[in-house]
Amino acid sequence: MGSVSYPIATCAEYALAKPLGFAERLSDAAKLVRRDVSFVSSDIGPGFENFEAASRHWYEHLIDQLNDRPWIRIREITKPVSADEAWTRFVRPICQNGRRWPNPPPPMPTEWRLNITFWRTKSCAL
């Protein structure tokens, strides 16, 4: 199995639509665009409730995934939560009714998003 050539772009959307080129290594990517690059993975597009819905939405981009584009995938991530919600998820001992620990909180909500792995040029501001 050969090495994977990843797209070079300023952001994930451009890596998917119109990359500046493709490279297997950091040195090749930097030489091709004549500037520093970093290897990143970024989620793009809307979130979906399940894998099937995300696959239907991104079908035209994923049709080539197995052959030409192994750097594109759909993955499950946790939905963003506010800082207040994040702090409430820490478990503290309660020592009540013969129990030291409370019942675990429910699982965090998730969503399915398209993920692109690419060489990002350093000129891209995030």
Side-chain angles (χ1 to χ4, degrees):
M1 182 173 153
S3 297
V4 175
S5 290
Y6 292 93
I8 306 166
T10 55
C11 61
E13 287 81 5
Y14 284 155
L16 186 63
K18 37 185 172 171
L20 300 171
F22 290 85
E24 296 175 0
R25 295 176 186 78
L26 174 71
S27 58
D28 297 339
K31 191 182 302 180
L32 186 64
V33 293
R34 295 188 183 106
R35 64 179 82 137
D36 291 338
V37 295
S38 58
F39 193 67
V40 297
S41 185
S42 181
D43 297 318
I44 65 170
F48 294 92
E49 188 176 316
N50 56 43
F51 179 80
E52 290 77 22
S55 295
R56 279 193 303 275
H57 180 80
W58 292 106
Y59 176 76
E60 64 188 49
H61 296 291
L62 296 174
I63 196 85
D64 298 328
Q65 180 179 6
L66 296 177
N67 298 327
D68 294 344
R69 302 177 181 185
W71 40 269
I72 298 175
R73 65 188 175 126
I74 294 177
R75 70 179 188 149
E76 186 176 23
I77 61 170
T78 57
K79 289 184 180 177
V81 296
S82 69
D84 293 336
E85 289 178 274
W87 280 106
T88 60
R89 298 195 65 81
F90 287 108
V91 179
R92 294 180 182 90
I94 58 171
C95 299
Q96 292 177 349
N97 301 326
R99 293 182 55 113
R100 180 173 181 178
W101 299 103
N103 291 329
M108 294 189 73
T110 62
E111 63 186 8
W112 293 83
R113 305 231 2 232
L114 188 68
N115 181 267
I116 309 292
T117 303
F118 64 105
W119 297 106
R120 183 177 67 208
T121 60
K122 296 285 185 164
S123 62
C124 182
L126 290 178

